[in-house]
Amino acid sequence: MNRKILVLAAVTGLLAPALAACGGSDSGGDDGKAIVVGTTDRFSASADAPAPLDPAYAYDVGTWNILRQTLQTLMALPRGDGEPEPEAAEQCGFSDNGNERYACTLRKGLKFADGSPVTAADVKYSIDRVRGIKSDSGVAGLLSSIDTVETKGDREVIFHLNTADATFPYKLATPAAGIVNPKDYAKNKLRDGFRVDGSGPYTVQVETRNNELVKAVFTKNPEYKGELTPQNQKVEMRSFDSADAMGAALEKGDIDLMTRTMSPEQIKKYSDAGADSDIKLIEMPGLEIRYLGFNTDAPQVRSKAVRQAMAQIVDRGEIASEVYGTSAEPLYSLVPATITGHANSFFNKYGDPSTAKARSILAKANITTPVKLTLNYTTDHYGPATKKEFELLQKQLNDSGLFDVTIKGEKWATFRPNESKGKYAVYGMGWFPDFPDADNFVAPFLDKDNFLGSPYANSTIRKKLIPDSRREADRLAASESLEEIQNIVADDVPVLPLWQGKQYIAARDDITGAEWALNSSSTLQLWELSRGMSG
């Protein structure tokens, strides 16, 4: 990470309050020409996932990055991260000492983009709708601590929680809590296709081809009232088949900026470019993690010993350095090293990679070797280096002589439904947090109705440790419970963490605000972008 970025991160906390206070003004002083952003995220509608952009279904970083521009939430993370602040709300806060009653008052004069008023009843409808539909994507799990939602008049919303949850303000800042108009979104049915309507800073029009979104055009919403200050009138997002195609478009000037997912080769190329290059690379801290998930009911990996042996063999350092270079670091827990409550549980238990120790683990459990496995991965969701990563994982396991591994790649539109239905014994996944708290790196994987659809259930984690950690408003005080969760995961290995990544944006030199266009949770903040003078 270069020195400039370290300085930026250090001053973020000082800048955020002043910047937040500027929200709500009629800004956007660019030349009116759309800023064009490239991504390799793919957005598909299919029989398995007919409603990819419905907030009651959407639960991946790509779809959320569309919803965050168009749906308003009661709370939002400030520009430089930190504690959530009111957005659609004028004020929010716990109104009891036990973190079980949370009340919000809406801003005056809130309107949907069609001009109709946003009321407390609409907020209640939106939240209850996500909880009621409870789609198989797992997104409703973010709202599982809600017992009932109450309204008082048109502007007051009160959340009665079924358990203490100090992380609840963060959850109200996610698209799962996005405010929708009841006339656009049926109460008990997902909204198929790619339409999105809300009260956020932009409206969106999409272009599709063969049930895939290929372009989304965001236009500044004149009805928007909130903390954000759009610096542009229009942003166009284009979806590319590959990082190479996206990079070629940037270099030709067909797009102005590219974000996830760039290849390691592109990151090195733009990093090594001289000061006179018309493309600048911006490196930012990230909380993205990659891991192997296990269907612990599958015969191949039902024995904990098999999963432990894999944990003992996998060389995270080699994966990070050989595949991702400087853009990834080995990870020894589900919780990233930069998050309060992190523990190096896997390293503490397994130490350095060792075939001899893995052989002993399998022998004690009377496991016949070599263990036959297929590692499944997605070819088009996490970037072009994923295949190389899985080829190296395959080699590491097979070279031990204890495993006979094949690998299989599939497109995300097929891979994700298959994974959630338990069709894979072992599969590779990534996680971009919903919010930057350790709870969001454990509960989505280990709690009831989890994101993975995993059959793994540990009663101590679910009934004691997660609830205990959520009672602590001081997140440092939650560390003891969180570390115990991580130690249990290292022993049972329902998931196997691999690496933690940085994040990058490459932009042409006339684009300003690119350094603010991603926060640590990989939230794309298109409202920060503007067109200035090329240098």
Side-chain angles (χ1 to χ4, degrees), residues 155-488:
R155 293 179 55 212
E156 190 171 358
V157 185
I158 302 167
F159 299 92
H160 299 277
L161 307 185
N162 51 39
T163 184
D165 188 358
T167 69
F168 189 66
Y170 284 103
K171 295 169 183 177
L172 290 183
T174 69
I179 305 167
V180 301
N181 194 328
K183 76 179 184 62
D184 295 321
Y185 293 81
K187 181 178 181 180
N188 299 314
K189 182 180 182 300
L190 292 172
R191 186 182 189 183
D192 293 355
F194 298 97
R195 287 284 304 276
V196 185
D197 295 281
S199 58
Y202 296 97
T203 60
V204 63
Q205 294 291 323
V206 302
E207 179 181 315
T208 62
R209 187 181 305 124
N210 299 324
N211 289 322
E212 283 201 352
L213 185 154
V214 294
K215 182 192 296 185
V217 179
F218 300 94
T219 303
K220 187 177 176 182
N221 175 13
E223 301 289 355
Y224 170 71
K225 287 188 177 181
E227 279 297 299
L228 307 177
T229 306
Q231 300 297 318
N232 56 70
Q233 298 294 327
K234 186 176 289 187
V235 179
E236 179 181 309
M237 180 188 291
R238 297 182 191 172
S239 178
F240 288 87
D241 290 334
S242 68
D244 287 343
M246 180 170 63
L250 180 69
E251 292 173 13
K252 282 180 61 180
D254 291 342
I255 64 175
D256 298 299
L257 178 149
M258 67 177 184
T259 177
R260 63 181 305 270
T261 301
M262 298 166 60
S263 70
E265 292 78 15
Q266 287 172 326
I267 292 168
K268 185 177 188 309
K269 174 183 176 181
Y270 296 129
S271 178
D272 291 344
D276 58 347
S277 172
D278 59 359
I279 294 174
K280 58 184 178 182
L281 181 73
I282 301 163
E283 177 189 300
M284 290 162 280
L287 297 175
E288 170 191 5
I289 67 169
R290 297 286 176 86
Y291 58 93
L292 292 178
F294 297 93
N295 176 356
T296 52
D297 282 348
Q300 307 96 308
V301 294
R302 184 180 295 138
S303 170
K304 180 169 70 173
V306 173
R307 308 192 302 268
Q308 289 179 329
M310 293 176 69
Q312 186 65 75
I313 290 170
V314 168
D315 188 338
R316 297 166 177 80
E318 184 180 36
I319 293 169
S321 62
E322 293 298 318
V323 180
Y324 295 99
T326 59
S327 65
E329 298 174 348
L331 181 64
Y332 296 94
S333 169
L334 278 173
V335 179
T338 49
I339 291 286
T340 300
H342 163 82
N344 278 321
S345 299
F346 274 81
F347 188 82
N348 294 340
K349 181 170 179 64
Y350 300 100
D352 293 325
S354 170
T355 297
K357 289 181 180 178
R359 182 179 292 109
S360 176
I361 292 169
L362 293 171
K364 287 179 181 176
N366 296 315
I367 303 294
T368 302
T369 59
V371 177
K372 285 196 168 188
L373 291 176
T374 298
L375 305 188
N376 298 273
Y377 67 95
T378 175
T379 58
D380 62 342
H381 194 66
Y382 297 121
T386 306
K387 181 180 180 182
K388 184 177 179 182
E389 175 183 350
F390 273 75
E391 288 172 342
L392 184 52
L393 278 167
Q394 177 188 34
K395 183 177 186 300
Q396 289 179 356
L397 292 166
N398 286 349
D399 283 354
S400 72
L402 302 175
F403 290 89
D404 180 4
V405 169
T406 58
I407 59 174
K408 183 180 180 182
E410 292 181 293
K411 289 190 173 182
W412 180 252
T414 301
F415 174 88
R416 175 59 174 141
N418 283 347
E419 179 278 316
S420 63
K421 293 173 183 175
K423 293 186 177 181
Y424 304 138
V426 191
Y427 49 89
M429 290 282 281
W431 181 249
F432 299 83
D434 309 320
F435 51 87
D437 186 275
D439 176 83
N440 196 239
F441 290 91
V442 294
F445 306 96
L446 306 171
D447 213 348
K448 184 180 178 183
D449 300 323
N450 60 75
F451 160 73
L452 296 175
S454 171
Y456 173 79
N458 183 288
S459 59
T460 301
I461 290 176
R462 289 186 179 181
K463 295 180 180 179
K464 183 179 187 304
L465 296 176
I466 289 178
D468 284 353
S469 71
R470 288 176 174 171
R471 290 189 183 97
E472 301 292 349
D474 178 355
R475 302 312 287 158
L476 187 60
S479 294
E480 184 176 347
S481 298
L482 292 165
E483 289 177 15
E484 189 173 345
I485 292 171
Q486 293 165 81
N487 291 338
I488 293 171

